[in-house]
Amino acid sequence: MVCFVVLAAGCAGVGPLPTPGDSGGRTATPAVPEEPTTPSSARYNVDVEEIENRIHEQMNERRVQNGLEPLTRNESLDAVARYKSWDMAQRDYFSHVGPNGTSHVDVRDRFRARCAYFGQNLHSQRFTSGDVYPYPQSELSDQEQIATDSVNSLMNSSGHRENALSPDYDSQGIGVFVDENGTVFVTQELCGSG
């Protein structure tokens, strides 16, 4: 068997967005989604909430190291991020735009999560069985390492780094989903009230 880790990342949007019906750029309560949003894995036992928490903490450590205020955790954005990671896993794509043309803004609107400034960072990492990772479960159980790999990947890409370290943002949501193939999907939703 061949074993490999695939690292991929993507980022979208830095800047203001008109928010009709929004009250001062504040994030509203999310709508009930049509599909399940709870991250899980049918095949692997993975504590995705712990990974999400560690990514949130590590991102804030990087912001503070760069002279920026830490981001608050936003439950509405968590819901958006979890949905996005789940959707990418379920529909087998890795992009800010879904295969049906659904954009980043469409997903946020679906959850009624509006911001004056917004951004999204994506990361995926695949663990498969083989010589290096003969037991993917053991690798997937290391929440700290998965979080560190995710943050390092995003911070080592200029566009993602710029997005994550933008002073325009004051809150974030993190969503993690692990599919049956051992691929970890991470979405970071960023929001600024302007």
Side-chain angles (χ1 to χ4, degrees):
M1 292 186 133
V2 175
C3 171
F4 60 94
V5 175
V6 176
L7 299 175
C11 65
V14 175
L17 175 74
T19 54
D22 191 11
S23 57
R26 300 277 184 233
T27 305
T29 304
V32 177
E34 294 175 15
E35 291 89 1
T37 60
T38 304
S40 64
S41 171
R43 186 171 176 190
Y44 302 104
N45 181 23
V46 181
D47 187 347
V48 292
E49 289 182 20
E50 182 61 25
I51 297 169
E52 292 171 353
N53 291 337
R54 290 301 300 137
I55 290 171
H56 172 72
E57 292 167 6
Q58 288 186 32
M59 278 294 184
N60 276 334
E61 289 167 8
R62 298 293 183 95
R63 287 179 63 86
V64 170
Q65 289 169 0
N66 285 276
L68 298 165
E69 291 294 317
L71 301 171
T72 60
R73 190 80 179 266
N74 183 311
E75 289 182 18
S76 295
L77 294 178
D78 280 347
V80 173
R82 288 174 180 150
Y83 175 83
K84 178 64 177 178
S85 292
W86 174 85
D87 189 57
M88 288 189 295
Q90 295 306 303
R91 295 207 234 171
D92 193 28
Y93 74 98
F94 183 75
S95 173
H96 297 287
V97 178
N100 62 348
T102 303
S103 74
H104 174 65
V105 175
D106 295 332
V107 174
R108 281 180 174 241
D109 285 349
R110 179 177 184 178
F111 285 84
R112 298 188 189 119
R114 296 181 179 95
C115 305
Y117 294 91
F118 72 94
Q120 180 186 70
N121 282 337
L122 304 176
H123 168 78
S124 71
Q125 182 173 356
R126 183 174 182 183
F127 295 93
T128 60
S129 60
D131 294 336
V132 179
Y133 299 108
Y135 306 104
Q137 176 62 60
S138 63
E139 299 299 323
L140 290 168
S141 296
D142 190 346
Q143 293 90 16
E144 183 71 26
Q145 190 60 53
I146 292 171
T148 298
D149 289 348
S150 300
V151 171
N152 285 343
S153 175
L154 293 172
M155 297 305 283
N156 288 332
S157 164
S158 61
H160 302 100
R161 181 181 176 85
E162 181 181 335
N163 221 8
L165 297 181
S166 172
D168 293 328
Y169 302 130
D170 51 34
S171 65
Q172 72 177 336
I174 305 294
V176 173
F177 190 91
V178 180
D179 72 9
E180 65 278 359
N181 298 315
T183 303
V184 179
F185 292 88
V186 177
T187 302
Q188 177 189 30
E189 293 287 337
L190 298 155
C191 182
S193 57

